[in-house]
Amino acid sequence: MLHDLFPPGIQHALDLAGIFVFATAGALLAVRKNFDVFGIAVLAEVTALGGGLFRDIVIGAVPPAAFGELSFFVTPLIAAALVFFLHPEVQRINRAIKVFDAAGLALFCVTGTTKAYEYGLGLTASAALGLATAVGGGVLRDVLANEVPTLLRDREMYAVPATVGAAMIALSIAFDALNALTTAAAIVTTFVLRLLAMQFHWRAPLAWNRRSAVSEEP
């Protein structure tokens, strides 16, 4: 589906760009946690490829794309090497990295949903795997770094935009309206929602009428 909407070269370049920015985010967290070079590389790989790896195993697309395409595996190592040597400079452009990360989130929730549907899953399951593709690597990264996963405490609505994008693709498929326009609309909507959440510090709602005196952990 998605490969019918965009030329293969463009689709591959977009995948690599998303993998690179996700890997950079993972490597930066490893640096902040004082991980060694191996830990930096592992967190970069896991962040970049974890979501897609989980999706491919669930739908039976084996070997997963992360292992079948050498460039997918090497790109996170390049990002890890850059962060290892240039992390002060990379940290200074962290805002720009977050913008690219939002673009990767938007792309991956769409590609994940369409690929899951191509392998025979229903619309709801496909949207769920689209979300997993977009945020799964970040969850694994946070667990390995001993952080509360962003998925569970969505302070700047990271998972919500991906859910919206995946749902838009699922609805487009349901109404036989999946084309370049609706795909682009899902990507742009996810991207813009994520940017607005970062700008205005939007977050998902807490428990209704919560009156506990226990303060939220930092």
Side-chain angles (χ1 to χ4, degrees):
M1 288 183 176
L2 198 61
H3 55 269
D4 295 329
L5 302 176
F6 298 106
I10 293 178
Q11 178 61 42
H12 187 69
L14 291 173
D15 286 339
L16 290 180
I19 287 171
F20 183 84
V21 294
F22 277 10
T24 301
L28 283 172
L29 177 59
V31 170
R32 290 196 292 270
K33 290 285 185 175
N34 290 321
F35 287 7
D36 62 17
V37 62
F38 185 75
I40 293 172
V42 168
L43 236 57
E45 290 281 359
V46 165
T47 307
L49 304 178
L53 184 63
F54 174 78
R55 175 204 61 213
D56 288 349
I57 290 174
V58 170
I59 65 179
V62 291
F67 294 101
E69 177 64 54
L70 182 61
S71 60
F72 287 173
F73 191 79
V74 171
T75 299
L77 296 179
I78 295 173
L82 288 174
V83 171
F84 180 79
F85 289 107
L86 302 173
H87 60 88
E89 287 75 16
V90 175
Q91 189 67 53
R92 279 197 287 270
I93 60 170
N94 192 47
R95 181 70 180 180
I97 290 173
K98 285 187 175 182
V99 172
F100 286 111
D101 180 83
L105 182 81
L107 176 67
F108 282 9
C109 74
V110 168
T111 57
T113 303
T114 54
K115 186 171 183 178
Y117 186 77
E118 286 174 346
Y119 274 78
L121 270 66
L123 293 176
T124 301
S126 296
L129 273 186
L131 171 63
T133 303
V135 305
V139 171
L140 292 174
R141 173 201 65 205
D142 292 341
V143 169
L144 289 175
N146 198 29
E147 296 273 324
V148 176
T150 302
L151 182 65
L152 302 181
R153 191 166 65 190
D154 209 352
R155 278 182 168 160
E156 290 183 344
M157 282 194 3
Y158 193 78
V160 171
T163 302
V164 171
M168 289 177 66
I169 292 298
L171 288 172
S172 296
I173 295 172
F175 290 100
D176 197 25
L178 186 66
N179 52 45
L181 182 61
T182 55
T183 299
I187 293 173
V188 170
T189 299
T190 304
F191 179 66
V192 170
L193 278 176
R194 173 61 180 149
L195 292 185
L196 290 174
M198 289 191 297
Q199 177 66 32
F200 297 107
H201 304 290
W202 292 346
R203 64 173 301 168
L206 298 176
W208 176 257
N209 203 26
R210 180 176 180 268
R211 297 182 181 278
S212 172
V214 177
S215 60
E216 182 182 1
E217 294 181 5

